[in-house]
Amino acid sequence: MGGVTDSGLAPLPATDRPEAAARLRDALLAASFTADGLLDLLGAPAYAALARSETVPALRATRGDAPLETLVRLFLLQQPAPHARVAAVLPVEEALEGGWLTRVGGDEVAATVDVRPYGGPGGEDWFIVSDLGCAVGGAGGIGRRDEAVVLGVGGASTTLAGITVRTPVASALDLGTGSGIQALHASQHATRVTATDLNPRALHITALTLALSGAPAADLREGSLFEPVRNDETFDLIVSNPPFVISPGARLTYRDGGMGGDDLCRSLVQQAGERLNEGGFAQFLANWQHVAGEDWQDRLRSWVPRGCDAWIVQREVQDITQYAELWLRDAGDHRGDPAEYQARYDAWLDEFEARKVKAIGFGWITLRRTGAAEPSVTVEEWPHPVEQPLGEAIRAHFDRLDFLREYDDAALLEGHFRLAAEVVQEQVGLPGAEDPEHVVLRQHRGMRRATKVDTVGAGFAGVCDGTLSAGRILDAIAQLVGEDPVLLRDRTPAQIRLLVEQGFLEPVV
């Protein structure tokens, strides 16, 4: 049923009327209230502005009375509309009774929640529900936010959805589900989805998101982190876009973890290992502290639970002043009393100075449960553009780790390899020079890495098409360059391993 939170936020639509949600969904689709429909109606600039929480261009583009214009103004722009006009598009009385709409003014109705069209990875027409004015999650600066408000889709949400490994699984767990976007994605490839959140309002909105998107219901549980999960429960996939912001206190539920420093992210990662089935993945977004006198990579290695491979990628680093300003603006504090803003800014800097924090890192953490005697832990910095969705590339990374663990150098030289798709070679040197200063292999897919190789490495990669073994290719190169083939075989496997690990070469099994 709908209800009012203690914070005084608006009542939410009922969750016990799946048939009504299905009819509302049908009406929205019939009016082309979809991601593609919005783009066609608004045009690219206004559509992009809406994703930044800027509504003026969309208001200008919806001044008519067409059905789609009415829905955009109603559900995305929070503009009341005449009852009769809405009744021509939606089952208005049922929507009023179910709490999706409310009566305002003389003869107008208004939406009680934001409903944003969202395109699924397979072309699905989904809808993400959130609190009014909060359709865009993350640092949007949408005025003052209530502590229990539930945000919609933001950059962090879509990043996590894009990096998640999407193999069919029996069970998936979405920790801190928020508006339900990760649970919605998981419902497409998991037989059973469990979603948890400390905020009961978020669980209610997740149920609405799933119902309005035509997705199966999830097992919704209230509580912090793994608290709602039974001790004997394990999962094939765990995902979380947690309240990772490192802040002095827990003022805003959707972003502030309430633990000191980066303890929430550390706890989440450390506890995930025992909740994973063999071969299962846990994937998180996180913030971590860069502490004076401490290697940030060592800090993160210490988080990795026993029995798990890990791949941790730092995507961005902000100094403490940039970080404080970002999240003060996220809460709209910069629009309020200047003295209060300054006091809060001071509190953030006091907290960081007390912990000797110089900067904050942001990135992705992927764990995979393994039975290997020596799990692999890779911690790296990669701030460059990548190709989303990246889930398949992440799965392939761990498959390559398994391959490299099983093959010693002798077996590696007997193996066959193929150059990955869309890898190009770049030669860098002075104009007119006979030989390049160095050779770079560059990917145009996945992580879009670039790595320096010597002439042997470049020649080896260029010949790899899966037909000849690595050893035979090196023997041929040795003959061409006049090098001892035994010495070449001895020194090259380390370079081959790096090219395989980073995805430039693919094993042909």
Side-chain angles (χ1 to χ4, degrees):
M1 299 295 290
V4 181
T5 64
D6 292 339
S7 62
L9 287 168
L12 294 171
T15 58
D16 57 356
R17 303 182 183 188
E19 299 84 0
R23 283 189 284 272
L24 179 58
R25 169 181 171 78
D26 289 343
L28 296 176
L29 294 177
S32 297
F33 188 62
T34 64
D36 289 342
L38 284 185
L39 183 59
D40 290 342
L41 172 68
L42 301 178
Y47 187 82
L50 197 58
R52 301 190 300 268
S53 298
E54 295 291 348
T55 59
V56 172
L59 284 166
R60 292 173 61 85
T62 56
R63 288 179 286 196
D65 57 3
L68 182 54
E69 291 174 289
T70 298
L71 293 178
V72 171
R73 293 177 71 85
L74 190 67
F75 284 115
L76 289 181
L77 305 177
Q78 285 81 63
Q79 301 295 307
H83 183 283
R85 185 181 299 173
V86 176
V89 187
L90 301 177
V92 66
E93 295 304 326
E94 189 173 45
L96 284 164
E97 185 179 351
W100 293 93
L101 302 175
T102 185
R103 296 184 186 276
V104 294
D107 191 31
E108 291 188 317
V109 297
T112 59
V113 288
D114 245 307
V115 176
R116 175 153 301 209
Y118 177 80
E124 301 91 349
D125 288 315
W126 289 340
F127 299 98
I128 308 299
V129 180
S130 62
D131 273 312
L132 291 174
C134 299
V136 178
I142 311 174
R144 176 189 172 277
R145 287 183 175 162
D146 188 279
E147 62 179 10
V149 76
V150 178
L151 274 63
V153 180
S157 302
T158 54
T159 294
L160 179 58
I163 69 173
T164 300
V165 175
R166 297 294 176 195
T167 53
V169 295
S171 57
L173 172 64
D174 175 15
L175 283 178
T177 187
S179 59
I181 180 174
Q182 309 306 330
L184 181 57
H185 276 278
S187 71
Q188 302 302 292
H189 64 104
T191 304
R192 175 174 57 88
V193 176
T194 302
T196 72
D197 205 289
L198 182 63
N199 182 1
R201 189 175 182 87
L203 297 176
H204 192 124
I205 283 181
T206 291
L208 297 174
T209 289
L210 295 173
L212 199 58
S213 298
D219 179 3
L220 304 176
R221 305 183 192 177
E222 182 180 343
S224 177
L225 301 182
F226 288 99
E227 287 176 1
V229 179
R230 297 193 309 272
N231 290 335
D232 61 345
E233 276 187 290
T234 55
F235 301 87
D236 301 309
L237 174 67
I238 300 172
V239 293
S240 183
N241 176 19
F244 54 68
V245 176
I246 300 171
S247 60
R251 185 161 62 104
L252 300 174
T253 303
Y254 72 87
R255 70 168 204 194
D256 300 326
M259 296 185 185
D262 52 16
D263 283 354
L264 181 135
C265 291
R266 176 186 55 80
S267 298
L268 183 61
V269 174
Q270 289 180 336
Q271 294 173 25
E274 62 186 8
R275 301 294 186 177
L276 282 175
N277 293 324
E278 186 73 19
F281 285 91
Q283 299 185 264
F284 314 105
L285 302 184
N287 273 164
W288 44 78
Q289 298 172 149
H290 285 230
V291 179
E294 177 183 282
D295 186 314
W296 69 268
Q297 294 186 336
D298 289 343
R299 182 183 190 84
L300 289 171
R301 287 189 185 95
S302 73
W303 291 8
V304 178
R306 184 174 302 174
C308 287
D309 290 326
W311 185 16
I312 301 173
V313 182
Q314 180 167 270
R315 296 287 289 158
E316 183 181 0
V317 180
Q318 290 184 311
D319 67 49
I320 56 175
T321 58
Q322 291 175 311
Y323 189 79
E325 290 161 14
L326 170 70
W327 294 108
L328 287 167
R329 287 179 175 273
D330 170 79
D333 291 329
H334 62 301
R335 297 174 177 170
D337 177 31
E340 187 176 349
Y341 174 81
Q342 182 175 339
R344 283 181 171 154
Y345 201 150
D346 271 334
W348 283 66
L349 298 186
D350 286 344
E351 178 81 6
F352 289 139
E353 288 175 9
R355 296 178 178 275
K356 300 181 180 180
V357 176
K358 301 301 182 183
I360 304 296
F362 166 80
W364 319 324
I365 297 177
T366 299
L367 308 176
R368 185 189 61 167
R369 188 76 185 176
T370 179
E374 295 185 13
S376 168
V377 177
T378 300
V379 183
E380 63 176 321
E381 186 164 16
W382 189 252
H384 310 294
V386 299
E387 179 190 40
Q388 283 278 37
L390 201 63
E392 179 58 24
I394 289 176
R395 184 200 60 75
H397 167 86
F398 287 92
D399 286 348
R400 293 193 299 271
L401 289 182
D402 287 340
F403 171 85
L404 292 172
R405 265 196 288 252
E406 294 172 5
Y407 282 64
D408 61 16
D409 286 355
L412 198 69
L413 293 175
E414 292 299 318
H416 293 238
F417 300 91
R418 178 174 53 238
L419 189 67
E422 296 189 39
V423 172
V424 298
Q425 176 179 305
E426 300 174 356
Q427 296 187 169
V428 181
L430 293 174
E434 184 175 345
D435 297 312
E437 292 180 21
H438 58 261
V439 180
V440 173
L441 298 181
R442 187 178 301 277
Q443 301 168 345
H444 287 277
R445 303 296 304 272
M447 291 290 288
R448 295 176 174 163
R449 293 185 185 277
T451 189
K452 289 183 182 179
V453 292
D454 59 20
T455 54
V456 171
F460 179 86
V463 175
C464 282
D465 61 3
T467 58
L468 297 176
S469 70
R472 289 189 63 186
I473 292 174
L474 290 177
D475 290 343
I477 292 175
Q479 187 174 5
L480 284 172
V481 301
E483 187 169 340
D484 185 330
V486 175
L487 294 178
L488 191 61
R489 279 174 172 255
D490 284 345
R491 71 176 176 85
T492 307
Q495 190 170 190
I496 296 174
R497 286 186 181 278
L498 180 64
L499 293 176
V500 171
E501 181 182 344
Q502 295 192 342
F504 290 93
L505 294 178
E506 299 172 346
V508 178
V509 180

